[in-house]
C-alpha cells in the first residue's frame, strides 16, 4: 500500500491524467486507479468526491449529470482546458522527482 501522504500528493495528477484520456465518474475513477496500481493505491469515496468537488471549484475539471437507462443519475467528469495546462505542469514536476529518485536509487545511472 502507498502511504496516505503520497496518495494525497498524487491524487490531482492521477485524476487529471485519467480524465485527459476520457471522461469518467467517481466510482470508475476509483476502480481505474486500483487496477492501474495493482491494488496498491486505494481511494475511498469519502476521499475522492470532496477532492473532485475541489477540482471543479478550481476550474480543473467540469462535470455533468446524466441519466442512465435504469433511471438513475450519474455525474461524469472531464478535464477542462485549465486542467489540461495543470496536467502539463504536474507531469513535469513528477518526472523531475522520478528522475531524481532513479539517480539516487541506481547509482550507476548517476553520471556526475
Amino acid at each position: 500500500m502507498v502511504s496516505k501522504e503520497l496518495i494525497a500528493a498524487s491524487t490531482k495528477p492521477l485524476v487529471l491524467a485519467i480524465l485527459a484520456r476520457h471522461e469518467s465518474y467517481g466510482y470508475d475513477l476509483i476502480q481505474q486507479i486500483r487496477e492501474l496500481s495493482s491494488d496498491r493505491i486505494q481511494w475511498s469515496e469519502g476521499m475522492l468526491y470532496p477532492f473532485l468537488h475541489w477540482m471543479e471549484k478550481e476550474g480543473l475539471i467540469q462535470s455533468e449529470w446524466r441519466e442512465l437507462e435504469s433511471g438513475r443519475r450519474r455525474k461524469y467528469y472531464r478535464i477542462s482546458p485549465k486542467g489540461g495546462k495543470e496536467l502539463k505542469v504536474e507531469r513535469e514536476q513528477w518526472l523531475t522527482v522520478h528522475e531524481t529518485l532513479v539517480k539516487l536509487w541506481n547509482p550507476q545511472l548517476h553520471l556526475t
Side-chain angles (χ1 to χ4, degrees):
M1 291 289 291
V2 176
S3 72
K4 289 180 181 181
E5 294 82 9
L6 194 51
I7 288 174
S10 63
T11 301
K12 182 169 56 166
L14 289 172
V15 169
L16 290 174
I18 290 172
L19 296 180
R21 291 179 170 190
H22 56 82
E23 61 185 18
S24 189
Y25 54 96
Y27 182 74
D28 187 51
L29 290 167
I30 291 169
Q31 293 304 109
Q32 286 183 65
I33 288 301
R34 183 171 283 156
E35 183 180 315
L36 288 166
S37 71
S38 301
D39 274 340
R40 291 179 297 217
I41 299 175
Q42 296 186 7
W43 291 343
S44 68
E45 290 180 16
M47 178 282 293
L48 182 60
Y49 286 108
F51 194 81
L52 291 171
H53 291 246
W54 173 82
M55 290 182 76
E56 190 169 16
K57 181 181 168 196
E58 293 295 311
L60 301 173
I61 61 174
Q62 300 166 336
S63 69
E64 164 184 18
W65 285 99
R66 296 187 189 157
E67 190 168 326
L68 306 175
E69 289 182 19
S70 66
R72 292 186 55 191
R73 292 177 59 200
R74 182 179 285 159
K75 195 173 195 178
Y76 280 83
Y77 298 92
R78 65 186 168 279
I79 195 167
S80 69
K82 181 179 178 182
K85 291 175 186 174
E86 182 70 16
L87 178 56
K88 288 179 184 178
V89 171
E90 289 281 336
R91 184 177 303 150
E92 289 300 317
Q93 292 176 2
W94 279 93
L95 286 173
T96 298
V97 170
H98 171 75
E99 290 166 3
T100 304
L101 287 172
V102 166
K103 289 175 185 174
L104 287 168
W105 291 335
N106 296 301
Q108 66 273 18
L109 297 177
H110 187 65
L111 302 175
T112 59

